[in-house]
Amino acid sequence: VAACREKTPLVVVDTTGLIAGELGTGLKIAKIRAVAPSCIIAIQREEECEPILAHFGGSVPHHHRLAPSPLAQKRSPEVRARTRREKLAAYFAAAGEREHLLATERVELFRLAQPANLVHQDLLPGTVLGLNHGEETRALGVVIEADKRSITLRTPLPDLKGINRVVFGDIVLE
C-alpha cells in the first residue's frame, strides 16, 4: 500500500470475504490497521461488518455500507478452494519447465511469520512459496524438491536475483 501511495492518490484494497467469528474480525481489523485507510466501504448482506466498523469508531472518518449485488453468489469452501488451486495451477503453468536451485543459506526462511529452517522442518514437493525481496513478495514458487541446504522450485520469475526471503505457504499442489 505504501508503494502504491507513492504512485497514485487513490488506492483501493479489496480484501477477502472472511469476516465471521474471531478469525474473520481479527483479520479485517489487522488489515485496516495496516492499510490506515481514509475510507472504508463495507459490503454486507445484513450487519455482519458492524463489529469490525464499531472497532474503529471515529478513527476512520468515512464508513460506507453497501448491499452486495443481487448477482453475487455465495461459494462453498470447496468451490473457493478448487478455484484457488485452479488459479495457482494456471499461474505456475506460465513457469513452464523452468527450474531454479535456491541455496537456503542465502535467504531467510519463514513459516507462519516465524523464522524457519529445513533442518527441523520438511518442505513437501508441491508446497507453494512466497519469493520475497524483504517483505515485498515478488512472485510465488512451487517446491519440486528440498533438502537441508537447498530448494529446487518452479516460478514464473526468469531468475532469483534479489530474492532474499522465502515464506513457506500452507497450500500443497499435486
Side-chain angles (χ1 to χ4, degrees), residues 58-146:
S59 65
V60 177
H62 303 288
H63 295 93
H64 301 281
R65 293 161 177 85
L66 300 175
S69 165
L71 301 176
Q73 297 178 358
K74 286 186 176 184
R75 295 185 294 166
S76 70
E78 295 79 16
V79 169
R80 287 196 310 273
R82 185 180 69 239
T83 301
R84 183 172 46 249
R85 289 185 189 286
E86 288 170 355
K87 287 183 178 186
L88 281 169
Y91 175 83
F92 288 119
E97 297 300 317
R98 185 180 321 134
E99 293 184 9
H100 299 278
L101 182 65
L102 181 68
T104 57
E105 66 191 24
R106 295 182 33 230
V107 296
E108 296 176 299
L109 303 174
F110 285 85
R111 179 168 180 75
L112 300 174
Q114 298 296 317
N117 64 57
L118 290 175
V119 172
H120 300 5
Q121 187 162 18
D122 289 330
L123 196 55
L124 299 173
T127 300
V128 176
L129 307 171
L131 302 174
N132 293 17
H133 178 76
E135 295 195 15
E136 178 188 347
T137 302
R138 298 269 173 96
L140 298 179
V142 64
V143 173
I144 297 169
E145 63 182 2

